[in-house]
Each structure stands twice: as C-alpha cells, then as structure tokens.
Amino acid sequence: MTRILFRNAQVVLADSVPVASVLVEDGRIIDVDASATAAADRVIDCDGLHLMPGVIDDQVHFREPGLTHKEDLETASRACAAGGVTSFLEMPNTKPPAITVEGVRAKESIAAQKSRVNYGFYIGATPDNVAELNAATDVPGIKIFIGSSTGNLLVDEQAALERIFAETTLPICAHCEDETTVRANAARLAGTTDITDHSRIRDENAAVIATRRATDLARRHKHRFHVLHVSTAAELPLLADPSPYLTAEICLHHVFFNVDDYPRLGSRIQMNPSIKTKADNDGLWQALLDGTIQVIATDHAPHTLDEKAKPYPESPSGLPAVENSLALMLDRVTAGRCTINQVASWMSDAPARVWGIVGKGRIEAGYDADLVLVDMQQQRTIRDEEQHTKTRWSPWHGETLTGWPVATFVGGTQVWSSQAGFDETFRGSKLRFDHSRGGYWGTMDGIGPAQ
C-alpha cells in the first residue's frame, strides 16, 4: 500500500474550505480530516495552498484519429494535466467518426497508450445507427449534432431524432444550432469575408430553435439530455423550468469573449456556436450563479494558426482551452465574481454527476484521489509559446491571471507539477460510468465511489 498525506491544505469541499490534512491510500481518499502526523510514504506540505477535486472537462475534441496535425491524445492530455484537468470526455467527430462500439473501443485503446489523465469517449449518433447506440456500454453518453457537422454525423430530420430519443437509454447531449436557419443566413450573407458575420450566420435564432427542439424531445420522451455550450441568454428560459431530464453547460469563450472582440482577436474566437454579445456574457454568467446552468466545459477544439489565418469563411471554427480553463475561473474567484466552491461544483462535481462518473468530482472518503493543488496567490501570463497543446496558441494570449494549479494528481499519482514537470511513465484510466444512479438531479450528494 502507498500512502500520501496532503498536510494542512485549504481543502475545497462542497460547501466549505477548512484547513485540513487529506490522507490517500492506493489512489483513493481514505480521510479528509487526518492527523497532520498520520503515517504516510509521502507527505506534501500544502501550507498556503488549496486542494481541489480534479477538473472533469466533458466536452473536448482531441483530434485523434485522423487530424493529429492539430492535436493528439498525448499532447492534449499533457495540456489537461498542466491545467488541473484530471478527466476528459471526448467527442465522436474524429476521422473516422466514433459511431460504432468498435470505433469507441479503438479510441479507448489509443488513450490507454497515450493519455496522461483519465478518459471517456461519447458515441456519435447518425440518422440510422440506433442499434449501435444501444449496444454501447461503459460510455458517457450519445452525442447528436443538431446543426452542421462532418460526414454523416448531422442528425436534423425529426423522425430520426424522435427515434434516437425514444429507442435509446444512454444520456444524450447535443450541439444545438438549427441547420435551416444557419443555411438561410449563410445564403443571405453569401460572399462575405467579414469574420463578424460568423455571429450573424450562426445567430441567436439558430441556437434557440435547436435548443427548444431538443429540450422538447427530452421532456416528451423523458430522456436525460444535456445541452452543450449554451451561447445566448435567449436559450435560458428553455432551461429555467426544473426538470429531472435536463442539464446544461457553458463554455468559457461564451462568457469571456463577445462580438466586440472580433476586431482584436479575429478567427481566434471563431466558434460554433458563435460568440454572441456582452449581454449574453452577463446572462450566461448569472445563469451559472443561479443554477440554471450546472456545468463549465471548454469545447477544446484546436486548429493550427496557419489554418486559423485563412480568410473567412475558409478559417475553421475552434480554439484550445483545456490548460487555462481552471486558471481563468480561479482568476474570477480572486476578483470576487464567484467562490472556489462554486468552481469545484461547476467543473468537477457537476460533470461527474451528469455523466455518472463513478468516484469522481469531490474530495470525500472513498472517492478517487484525482486532485489539484492550487496557489491562489500565483500570477502568471498566458503565452502562446508556453502552451502544451500541439497548436501552441491560446485566445487568451497576453492575459495575466491570479490563481493557478501547481500540481495535478490522478489516482494519487503526481502527473504534473510546475516544478517537476510531467511524469512521463504514468497513463490514465478509462472512466467508469453508472447511469443507473440517476444523473445530476438524482445524485445531489455526489456520484459516490464504486458500489
């Protein structure tokens, strides 16, 4: 047995931040109020540091297989570790897309060899793969693209959507932008090379129509559904009516950037769904604070700077974010915009509960020791050239933040620290999913350890 004692840390629990010592044995937390002199093989002095549950990013695009010139599971997971992200859930729109059980298992096999952190992979829906969706086990859920996507992943016909919601049991998430609206706007603005038109083509109406359609399906079929990357305040009334079937998330770019930033950042903030207005920034932030939205994710989707430099609309949508997401939120804690407990809820506990990720998301006895040590006094400036993501850039280049992760632990193993760098030998594990526990609304006290 291996024991680690995190001594005298400011421990981020669900509703408090006591100074305590946390004891870990063989990768699992066994005591959150241990004696400061408890016997251990390694003692980590955490005086002045916060100990948080590791971040779970439930929406990433790590590009492997098929697009590894942009990113791969090794470079992306290193970026995760350096950013305090201990688990990720990756989307199916790779090449080939993960639309079969075999395709998902192939990605898990690559991750087992490459990933520095824990991993899970969604299975993608097509208009005619319900049998594969029902055959999938031990995956976080089903991803539907209700809006433009690659290959045959677009599911826009109502009959196909009804079939997926009616005939499958895994929780579903979706990219919600109405294809008809997007195409009509694109036709109206045909020939534009103005990057700001991206937010006119993928406008508020496209998001609202698709989100209304998807949430109606979820309510009628009583099927658990998670709205990905809510981008506009106009979607919030569709989520405000409490439902045991609905959860939602925001991504950081939809809170930190708006259309006024296009002249400064151009295609670096070109995203699908698009960046919206300052009023939308404020509305989404308030929705986090009041609980209308439960999860923060990144939609990490890197492209090379050469690709992003192409004239619009040839420039692709997507940006890298995993290694700065926690620091961006800790900076908001420093600014008094939220509490560190709320950050842990939005980025760790809530995604674990939404997707039934066993033993993750909290610092409690019995949970896995996926942990992040944070220095809330540390100031650092985000620099393109210092990024671990393969594309080596960030839309937040030049931003100075206060509050940074300084060490990341996966299953009790230190996989990265600001002083020692990476553990090059460690590999993360496939996440365990238990959808029978009821999702977010059925696990108010956390998803809990393995039963």
Side-chain angles (χ1 to χ4, degrees), residues 109-430:
S109 180
I110 298 170
Q113 299 299 314
K114 289 189 171 185
S115 183
R116 267 51 176 187
V117 299
N118 300 321
Y119 51 86
F121 297 94
Y122 297 94
I123 187 168
T126 73
D128 55 7
N129 75 334
V130 164
E132 287 289 341
L133 302 181
N134 281 324
T137 58
D138 206 22
V139 300
I142 297 166
K143 168 67 179 291
I144 307 177
F145 289 87
I146 307 176
S148 294
S149 185
T150 54
N152 63 342
L153 280 169
L154 173 63
V155 184
D156 204 45
E157 292 298 323
Q158 188 67 23
L161 288 169
E162 295 279 357
R163 189 163 56 251
I164 293 167
F165 274 84
E167 298 179 13
T168 66
T169 58
L170 287 171
I172 296 172
C173 61
H175 178 128
C176 295
E177 286 185 292
D178 182 62
E179 182 70 7
T180 300
T181 301
V182 170
R183 289 182 179 178
N185 289 339
R188 179 171 52 85
L189 293 166
T192 184
T193 58
D194 183 353
I195 186 67
T196 62
D197 281 335
H198 190 68
S199 291
R200 299 183 181 99
I201 292 170
R202 294 180 172 275
D203 64 4
E204 175 183 285
N205 287 333
V208 170
I209 291 168
T211 299
R212 180 182 295 115
R213 185 183 187 188
T215 54
D216 172 68
L217 283 160
R219 292 178 194 276
R220 284 193 291 106
H221 291 286
K222 298 182 178 180
H223 197 127
R224 276 171 41 208
F225 178 70
H226 186 65
V227 186
L228 299 170
H229 42 45
V230 177
S231 64
T232 170
E235 292 169 88
L236 298 176
L238 301 171
L239 306 170
D241 180 21
S243 167
Y245 306 109
L246 293 179
T247 50
E249 74 186 33
I250 58 98
C251 293
L252 296 175
H253 46 273
H254 288 130
V255 173
F256 283 82
F257 300 124
N258 58 64
V259 292
D260 296 335
D261 294 308
Y262 277 128
R264 178 172 63 93
L265 293 169
S267 63
R268 282 198 176 205
I269 56 169
Q270 180 186 331
M271 292 294 292
N272 300 341
S274 67
I275 302 301
K276 301 300 194 298
T277 68
K278 176 62 165 61
D280 290 306
N281 295 158
D282 295 340
L284 295 175
W285 183 255
Q286 183 57 45
L288 271 175
L289 294 176
D290 66 26
T292 302
I293 290 176
Q294 296 80 30
V295 174
I296 291 175
T298 65
D299 199 10
H300 176 97
H303 301 279
T304 68
L305 282 176
D306 285 345
E307 291 168 335
K308 293 292 273 187
K310 292 179 180 179
Y312 184 79
E314 295 177 41
S315 51
S317 295
L319 56 79
V322 291
E323 61 197 286
N324 299 309
S325 59
L326 178 56
L328 286 162
M329 291 306 301
L330 295 176
D331 188 70
R332 288 215 159 180
V333 173
T334 301
R337 300 287 304 278
C338 59
T339 69
I340 198 166
N341 306 87
Q342 288 173 310
V343 171
S345 173
W346 299 327
M347 301 184 80
S348 303
D349 182 56
R353 289 162 54 195
V354 167
W355 301 110
I357 308 174
V358 177
K360 307 294 185 185
R362 293 191 179 196
I363 299 179
E364 288 186 14
Y367 279 65
D368 297 334
D370 294 353
L371 303 166
V372 184
L373 272 176
V374 165
D375 184 348
M376 290 300 296
Q377 306 305 313
Q378 184 177 120
Q379 283 193 333
R380 278 175 46 200
T381 301
I382 299 172
R383 305 285 186 195
D384 283 350
E385 61 273 15
E386 295 173 0
Q387 301 302 290
H388 295 286
T389 181
K390 185 177 283 189
T391 54
R392 301 296 293 274
W393 67 272
S394 168
W396 289 278
H397 170 73
E399 296 282 336
T400 299
L401 308 177
T402 303
W404 283 87
V406 296
T408 302
F409 300 80
V410 176
T413 296
Q414 181 177 299
V415 297
W416 170 86
S417 78
S418 55
Q419 292 186 333
F422 295 94
D423 181 335
E424 301 292 356
T425 64
F426 181 84
R427 297 296 180 269
S429 300
K430 177 181 173 179

Side-chain angles (χ1 to χ4, degrees), residues 50-88:
H50 285 73
L51 187 66
M52 299 184 66
V55 171
I56 301 169
D57 194 333
D58 80 350
Q59 188 187 178
V60 301
H61 302 265
F62 284 171
R63 306 304 194 194
E64 188 166 6
L67 295 166
T68 53
H69 70 284
K70 304 174 191 280
E71 190 77 283
D72 60 48
L73 287 167
E74 179 176 355
T75 57
S77 65
R78 290 168 75 93
C80 284
V85 177
T86 54
S87 299
F88 66 80

